[in-house]
Amino acid sequence: MVPTTSIVNSSDNTNPGGGYGSVSANDQLATAISYAIDYTNPIVLDFARNQIQTSDAGAYNIAQICDVWEAIYNRWTYVRRVSAFKDVTPASRTIDGGLNGNCLNYAILNAAAIESVGGRTRVTITQNALGESHAYAEVFLTNNTTELESIENYLAMRYPGTTMHYLSVHSQANGEYWMTLDWQANYPGALLFHDNGEFCSYYPSGHYSCHTD
C-alpha cells in the first residue's frame, strides 16, 4: 500500500521580483547557499557515507536518502539564530559544530550530504501568511511516474501511515518530482509548514528559481 501523496504543481520563474527582495538580493543568497552546500568537502563526504546502512549499500537509492535524513534528524539540535537567513553556514562547519542550528542550516546540511552520495538537491525558502520564513531541503526523485510508484512503495514500507509531499515541476516535458526534507516533521517527505504560495529554490550550482503554487 502506497502512502497518501500530495502533489504541488508550480510555475517556474527564474527572474523573480518582490516577495524576497530584489533580484540582486536573491543572487547574493544563491551564491551564499551554493558555497555552503560544500558536498565535495571531505568532512561532508565522510559524514554522509558513514550514515548509509550496510543493507542499503551500493548505487545511490531512496534508502540512502532516508538513512542520511534520519541520521541528521535524530542528532539535530535546533538553535534559532538572531541573524536568521543571513547565517548561511557551510555544511562542513555544521558537522564540525555538532549538528545544530536553524532550519536553513539543517536544509543546507541535508542538501550537501545527499549531493555527496549522488543525489540532486536544492534548498527552498518560503514564508507563511504571517511573514514568518522557513527553509527546507528537497531531493529530486524522478521524472518517471512508474519509478515514483516504486519509491512510494518503499516509503510506505519504511514509514507506514504517512503522507508524502512532492513538488511537481512541469516546466520540462515529463515533469520532475522533488521530495521535501524538513526538520519540522519526523520522516522525509513530510511538510508541515503552510507557505503563502510563493517560494524560491536554490541549487548547489548557484542557480535559483522562484515558484508560485
Side-chain angles (χ1 to χ4, degrees):
M1 179 179 180
V2 300
T4 304
T5 303
S6 173
I7 303 293
V8 178
N9 295 321
S10 72
S11 59
D12 187 26
N13 180 3
T14 56
N15 186 25
Y20 300 98
S22 65
V23 172
S24 61
N26 267 324
D27 289 341
Q28 292 173 7
L29 184 56
T31 299
I33 290 176
S34 173
Y35 175 79
I37 304 176
D38 54 348
Y39 63 94
T40 61
N41 187 299
I43 294 173
V44 178
L45 287 165
D46 290 344
F47 171 82
R49 290 168 181 168
N50 287 335
Q51 312 315 316
I52 304 299
Q53 302 299 310
T54 302
S55 58
D56 301 327
Y60 171 73
N61 58 71
I62 182 62
Q64 294 178 0
I65 296 173
C66 296
D67 288 344
V68 170
W69 185 88
E70 287 177 11
I72 297 172
Y73 177 82
N74 289 332
R75 295 169 56 187
W76 189 258
T77 300
Y78 181 81
V79 180
R80 184 179 295 275
R81 303 289 174 84
V82 175
S83 55
F85 290 168
K86 293 182 180 179
D87 177 22
V88 186
T89 304
S92 55
R93 181 179 164 195
T94 298
I95 294 168
D96 278 344
L99 276 68
N100 62 75
N102 61 19
C103 56
L104 180 57
N105 304 138
Y106 183 87
I108 287 170
L109 177 55
N110 269 275
I114 292 173
E115 284 275 343
S116 74
V117 296
R120 282 176 56 196
T121 63
R122 62 191 183 192
V123 170
T124 294
I125 297 178
T126 187
Q127 293 180 338
N128 61 20
L130 300 176
E132 298 167 329
S133 297
H134 184 50
Y136 53 88
E138 293 179 285
V139 58
F140 171 74
L141 295 178
T142 182
N143 57 6
N144 181 288
T145 54
T146 300
E147 186 177 0
L148 181 65
E149 183 176 352
S150 176
I151 292 170
E152 289 178 335
N153 287 333
Y154 174 81
L155 293 170
M157 177 186 67
R158 187 156 178 167
Y159 308 104
T162 56
T163 299
M164 299 296 160
H165 294 261
Y166 307 120
L167 174 68
S168 176
V169 179
H170 289 289
S171 58
Q172 299 182 3
N174 296 322
E176 293 188 347
Y177 295 95
W178 294 74
M179 183 174 72
T180 58
L181 301 169
D182 195 350
W183 75 270
Q184 290 186 341
N186 59 359
Y187 63 93
L191 184 62
L192 302 182
F193 189 82
H194 298 289
D195 63 56
N196 63 3
E198 298 180 2
F199 47 98
C200 291
S201 297
Y202 301 85
Y203 297 80
S205 64
H207 167 75
Y208 70 92
S209 59
C210 292
H211 311 268
T212 302
D213 288 352

